[in-house]
Amino acid sequence: MEIYIQISLFVIFLLCFIFQLFYLFTKHKVLGAYQPEDALPKVLIPISVIISARNEYENLKQNLPIILDQEYPDFEVVVVNDCSYDQSELLLMEYAKQYPNLKIVTVNEHERFKTAKKFALTLGIKAAKNEHLLFTDADCHPASVHWISRMAAKFIGDNSIVLGYSPYIRKPGFLNHFIRFETIKTAVNYLSAALKGDAYMGIGRNLAYTKTLFFSNKGFASHMHVLAGDDDLFVNQNATADNVAIEIHPEAHVWSDAKRGFGPYYRQKKRHMGVGKLYKTRHRQFLTLDALTGFLFYASLITCLFLQYEVLLILGFFVLRLLIQVLIYRKIFKNLRGADLIWWLPFFDLIYYLYLIIFGLIGTFTKTTKWK
């Protein structure tokens, strides 16, 4: 009986190994071969930058001037002050005196009607005067004064969605390193899918789309009851094979601070992972298969090593997969500002797939009721 268990585990290991190579070669490799355009484009498309902010006084004070000072010929910044009870309103009024392109939309708290981010964003989109919309958050700042230019330049042809990238600032500590690693792995998946013509999500910290696309598809109406999903669910429902572009040039990155404690990080990821069950079926299957095969690859690997079954062969396949990962990911991690994390790959890759399984289950069976 023991030998049958060992053989079964070895077969599971090999199948997962094959599936993982399939993802690496058929999906992730396309991002490794992608080269952002280095020359700064000249774009004249009017842009509306939209930010929803609830009690974000300190973040607005630090980050909003960086956005308002972008070197772009025609743009406005629409800040939706969403039921804030700090000093955000006074700060925004002061900035409005300095920056004529700042537009303020105020949402007041209603005792019987509790608003959420999607409602605030919808008001911001309605207030925007331009067709092309660029989104970020109050706790984020662009990497350069050319952020708008880089993102706007991707609105060519039939493109009505532009997926950007938003890394986290590097700081000491295990949690910061893992959050940055997980962010890159998530980006590898959604950016690769977009390049393959099957975009399934975007990140609201750095995302652009057109007002026509938003209103012609009834905005967030189909998932307004879901707390999160103003970014990934919208992209998942409205992306087609030919209306999505990506922009990952370093000047187009939008930076923010990672969560500094496991409690805030847990609440954030529980909220984010809870919307995955609403993705299109093929996207759920793709993500689930990746998570399961990655988790079972490590689980069967560790079990076979513990049972001392085909140890050299098992380790050989593990090293081969690792080498292929390094070859494909090295350039990607560099482009996505995580070159230092490639050395953490053997350890964080295991933690990453364990994280996917745990938070996938949590997201499936729980829901949250507040976004801020």
Side-chain angles (χ1 to χ4, degrees):
M1 176 64 75
E2 182 177 347
I3 189 63
Y4 290 118
I5 294 176
Q6 292 173 337
I7 293 174
S8 298
L9 286 169
F10 184 71
V11 170
I12 291 173
F13 173 81
L14 285 181
L15 288 174
C16 292
F17 171 80
I18 293 170
F19 273 110
Q20 288 291 296
L21 290 192
F22 170 79
Y23 282 105
L24 286 168
F25 282 115
T26 66
K27 298 183 181 296
H28 299 171
K29 190 178 179 181
V30 67
L31 183 61
Y34 178 80
Q35 183 61 44
E37 296 179 17
D38 199 42
L40 183 65
K42 294 182 179 180
V43 193
L44 299 176
I45 302 172
I47 295 291
S48 292
V49 179
I50 299 178
I51 303 169
S52 174
R54 177 175 293 185
N55 296 322
E56 296 279 10
Y57 173 85
E58 291 297 335
N59 285 323
L60 289 170
K61 183 178 180 180
Q62 178 178 344
N63 299 319
L64 188 55
I66 303 175
I67 297 173
L68 289 164
D69 287 330
Q70 285 283 297
E71 293 183 4
Y72 193 76
D74 187 358
F75 77 101
E76 65 172 355
V77 178
V78 180
V79 177
V80 183
N81 186 21
D82 184 18
C83 304
S84 297
Y85 49 81
D86 59 4
Q87 299 300 308
S88 294
E89 183 177 3
L90 295 177
L91 179 68
L92 289 171
M93 291 174 64
E94 286 299 314
Y95 280 146
K97 296 176 183 177
Q98 304 173 45
Y99 298 95
N101 60 334
L102 173 61
K103 181 181 294 183
I104 305 168
V105 177
T106 301
V107 181
N108 295 314
E109 189 74 68
H110 193 285
E111 60 181 19
R112 289 185 295 179
F113 177 63
K114 301 301 180 182
T115 64
K117 187 177 182 181
K118 291 176 185 176
F119 179 77
L121 287 176
T122 300
L123 294 182
I125 293 170
K126 289 182 177 180
K129 68 179 182 180
N130 297 316
E131 164 69 4
H132 295 84
L133 314 173
L134 178 55
F135 298 84
T136 190
D137 290 335
D139 60 350
C140 301
H141 65 271
S144 77
V145 294
H146 303 306
W147 169 55
I148 296 179
S149 296
R150 294 283 180 184
M151 293 294 287
K154 294 299 181 176
F155 280 118
I156 55 176
D158 295 327
N159 294 341
S160 55
I161 298 175
V162 181
L163 307 181
Y165 174 64
S166 182
Y168 286 108
I169 298 170
R170 180 182 179 181
K171 293 185 178 180
F174 169 84
L175 183 60
N176 177 271
H177 282 61
F178 177 72
I179 289 175
R180 291 170 55 231
F181 180 88
E182 183 265 327
T183 299
I184 292 177
K185 283 282 285 185
T186 300
V188 169
N189 279 332
Y190 79 77
L191 293 171
S192 297
L195 289 174
K196 298 282 286 185
D198 192 24
Y200 67 90
M201 67 166 284
I203 299 296
R205 301 190 300 275
N206 195 5
L207 173 67
Y209 50 80
T210 63
K211 185 183 285 191
T212 296
L213 180 72
F214 182 82
F215 286 113
S216 63
N217 291 282
K218 299 181 180 180
F220 306 126
S222 64
H223 50 87
M224 186 66 82
H225 62 290
V226 181
L227 179 68
D230 55 276
D231 45 12
D232 54 349
L233 282 182
F234 181 82
V235 173
N236 192 265
Q237 293 183 356
N238 295 288
T240 67
D242 54 10
N243 75 343
V244 180
I246 73 168
E247 177 53 85
I248 60 171
H249 191 282
E251 290 185 337
H253 292 176
V254 173
W255 291 86
S256 60
D257 280 314
K259 297 297 182 182
R260 299 184 181 182
F262 284 96
Y265 178 64
Y266 168 80
R267 289 189 290 273
Q268 180 192 53
K269 300 315 294 186
K270 183 177 72 170
R271 184 173 70 246
H272 291 170
M273 296 291 280
V275 302
K277 57 192 173 186
L278 300 177
Y279 286 1
K280 293 177 182 177
T281 301
R282 68 176 184 277
H283 297 140
R284 293 201 311 271
Q285 292 172 343
F286 151 70
L287 293 170
T288 299
L289 189 59
D290 178 36
L292 282 176
T293 57
F295 173 76
L296 290 175
F297 173 82
Y298 284 107
S300 56
L301 165 70
I302 294 171
T303 306
C304 285
L305 292 178
F306 178 78
L307 297 175
Q308 297 185 341
Y309 182 76
E310 298 289 357
V311 172
L312 292 179
L313 190 58
I314 288 283
L315 290 176
F317 281 120
F318 169 75
V319 172
L320 176 60
R321 175 178 177 268
L322 179 60
L323 289 174
I324 294 172
Q325 283 182 308
V326 171
L327 288 173
I328 293 177
Y329 287 160
R330 183 173 55 181
K331 180 182 176 183
I332 296 175
F333 274 51
K334 182 180 179 180
N335 287 340
L336 300 184
R337 292 302 180 259
D340 60 300
L341 296 172
I342 201 71
W343 304 106
W344 289 81
L345 186 60
F347 174 62
F348 275 158
D349 197 52
L350 165 62
I351 303 299
Y352 170 76
Y353 282 108
L354 182 62
Y355 145 87
L356 287 181
I357 294 298
I358 293 175
F359 276 96
L361 292 173
I362 292 173
T364 299
F365 297 107
T366 62
K367 66 177 182 178
T368 51
T369 57
K370 57 187 294 187
W371 76 272
K372 192 76 176 180

